[in-house]
């Protein structure tokens, strides 16, 4: 408040700055922490006015978790995230992202729109190099689904995560956590769950996705995330795939939210002072499709070791990988052959080449 409404220079005493400096130097880190924490607690609403998309969960030690269910392509979801963070002034914000997708937090809408629309061979090669042939192809196909929605709506995905990142930075002592399972693990487990023909069928469905989508459709999908609903329609006949892409990630997200909701240790004036803890307040930002699973798993004992393991490739995966490689190299070889054939035909059709060949023919006939 003093910084917002400073006294004029004529009213300020000469030794004012010295006193302020002295006071600042005498405040310990612990005292400063306590002052800022008190300001944060006063701003935190005891009975927050929360959007209807928020689900409130409690832990055994009294911590509170507010899960905001969002549609990944929705302006109203962004507003819900901002309002929730402002109302509850959380200690931790957890978002449905992993380290492989964290770049979208710092990219602007224009750049993201451009990136989503430009799915090229270079990106495909990079995805295959990072995740392997099968997982890389699946990643690119899912990006194609996301790009299709982006193109239809003119809106880049992940706006609610970027808003969460901005708002969290405005709250004192608020940590920002990535709560989703690493995407390579999800893709590899998903691929391992499918048979050879299921992989072909899924890839075919993703390649020819072209249904129009309206903004009204997105808002209707508040009860279930749009991207995941579209995926669910395509993978409905593959329960193992649904398990790896949705159900397992429900467990992982729940585990990360519970980890974030551990009690907070208050600052101590000295090492001898008794440690004191207070319940934490957490805001989770996840796709609406994950909210029922998080509620279902909330009071269960969770072990994420099993869902983090990557099974070895099956025989069908090896066959599919061989078929893909053979197809790619076959097309490349055929392309080179066609280019070479056309090049030879073009050179032979040139007047200079024809004249040269005629001379060669005459020389051979003379001999």
């Amino acid at each position: 408040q003093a910084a917002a409404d400073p006294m004029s220079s004529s009213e300020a005493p000469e030794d004012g700055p010295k006193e302020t400096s002295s006071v600042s130097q005498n405040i310990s880190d612990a005292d400063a922490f306590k002052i800022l924490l008190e300001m944060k607690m006063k701003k935190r609403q005891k009975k927050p006015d929360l959007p209807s998309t928020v689900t409130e969960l409690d832990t055994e030690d009294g911590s509170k978790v507010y899960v905001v269910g969002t549609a990944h392509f929705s302006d109203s979801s962004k507003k819900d995230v901002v309002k929730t963070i402002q109302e509850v002034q959380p200690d931790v914000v957890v978002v449905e992202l992993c380290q492989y997708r964290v770049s979208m937090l710092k990219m602007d809408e224009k750049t993201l729109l451009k990136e989503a629309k430009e799915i090229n061979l270079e990106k495909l090669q990079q995805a295959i190099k990072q995740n392997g042939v099968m997982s890389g192809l699946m990643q690119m196909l899912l990006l194609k689904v996301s790009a299709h929605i982006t193109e239809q709506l003119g809106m880049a995905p992940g706006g609610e995560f970027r808003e969460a990142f901005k708002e969290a930075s405005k709250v004192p002592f608020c940590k920002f956590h990535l709560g989703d399972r690493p995407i390579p693990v999800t893709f590899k487990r998903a691929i391992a769950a499918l048979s050879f023909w299921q992989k072909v069928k899924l890839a075919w469905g993703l390649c020819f996705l072209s249904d129009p989508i309206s903004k009204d459709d997105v808002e209707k999908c508040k009860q279930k995330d749009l991207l995941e609903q579209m995926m669910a329609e395509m993978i409905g006949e593959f329960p193992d795939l649904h398990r790896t892409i949705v159900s397992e990630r429900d467990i992982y997200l729940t585990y990360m939210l519970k980890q974030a909701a551990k009690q907070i240790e208050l600052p101590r004036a000295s090492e001898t002072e008794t440690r004191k803890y207070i319940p934490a307040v957490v805001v989770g930002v996840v796709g609406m499709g994950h909210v029922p699973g998080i509620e279902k798993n909330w009071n269960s004992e969770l072990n994420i070791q099993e869902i983090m393991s990557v099974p070895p490739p099956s025989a069908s995966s090896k066959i599919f990988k061989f078929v893909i490689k053979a197809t790619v190299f076959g097309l490349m070889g055929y392309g080179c052959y066609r280019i070479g054939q056309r090049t030879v035909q073009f050179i032979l059709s040139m007047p200079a080449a024809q004249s040269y060949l005629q001379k060669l023919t005459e020389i051979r006939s003379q001999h």
Side-chain angles (χ1 to χ4, degrees), residues 26 29 41 46 78 86 114 123 145 152 176 186 205 208 231 249 256 303 319 333 347 351:
N26 290 332
D29 290 342
M41 293 301 183
K46 291 183 179 179
K78 292 191 279 188
Q86 289 177 348
K114 184 180 177 183
K123 287 185 179 180
V145 177
Q152 292 281 319
F176 190 86
T186 298
F208 291 94
M231 284 299 299
R249 288 172 60 224
M256 295 303 288
N303 181 3
I319 293 170
I347 293 171

Side-chain angles (χ1 to χ4, degrees), residues 20-73:
T20 303
S21 176
S22 175
V23 170
S24 299
Q25 289 174 1
N26 290 332
I27 295 178
S28 66
D29 290 342
D31 290 336
F33 188 100
K34 286 179 181 177
I35 291 169
L36 287 171
L37 189 61
E38 285 174 6
M39 292 171 62
K40 176 179 175 176
M41 293 301 183
K42 286 179 181 178
K43 195 174 179 181
R44 180 180 287 173
Q45 300 296 320
K46 291 183 179 179
K47 293 183 178 179
D49 179 21
L50 300 172
S52 60
T53 53
V54 176
T55 299
E56 186 176 338
L57 300 168
D58 298 305
T59 66
E60 293 178 356
D61 55 20
S63 296
K64 287 193 175 291
V65 178
Y66 300 93
V67 183
V68 188
T70 68
H72 292 322
F73 294 83

Side-chain angles (χ1 to χ4, degrees), residues 281-292:
V281 173
V282 178
V283 170
V285 183
V286 304
M288 182 59 78
H290 290 293
V291 176

Side-chain angles (χ1 to χ4, degrees), residues 91-95 97 105 161 164-165 168 174-178:
D91 303 300
V92 185
V93 171
V94 181
V95 296
L97 287 176
L105 292 175
F161 302 139
F165 184 65
C174 182
K175 297 177 182 178
F176 190 86
H177 289 184
L178 304 176

